[in-house]
Amino acid sequence: MDKFVFLFLACILAGFALIKLPLAGSPLASIEPITFFIGILTILVFSLVLIFKGIMALAGK
């Protein structure tokens, strides 16, 4: 098993945490759209990497 798989899963969970981050009512409320976008981007990128690694493992490479 690849040693980075759990790191990729942790990055996907961190992306979900960024999406659900409650910033309303705090001084950081203005950057909430940025954290939402970074969370979505993180989830997409690392999910695609995991899918690619799964396909490569099935192909035997």
Side-chain angles (χ1 to χ4, degrees), residues 20-55:
K20 296 291 186 180
L21 188 65
L23 293 175
S26 73
L28 299 174
S30 63
I31 66 166
E32 188 168 6
I34 296 169
T35 59
F36 184 80
F37 177 72
I38 291 172
I40 293 291
L41 191 64
T42 302
I43 293 168
L44 287 175
V45 167
F46 286 104
S47 295
L48 289 174
V49 168
L50 280 177
I51 291 169
F52 178 75
K53 289 214 169 267
I55 291 172

Side-chain angles (χ1 to χ4, degrees), residues 9-21 39-40 42-43 47:
L9 288 174
C11 290
I12 292 171
L13 288 176
F16 280 111
L18 280 174
I19 289 174
K20 296 291 186 180
L21 188 65
I40 293 291
T42 302
I43 293 168
S47 295

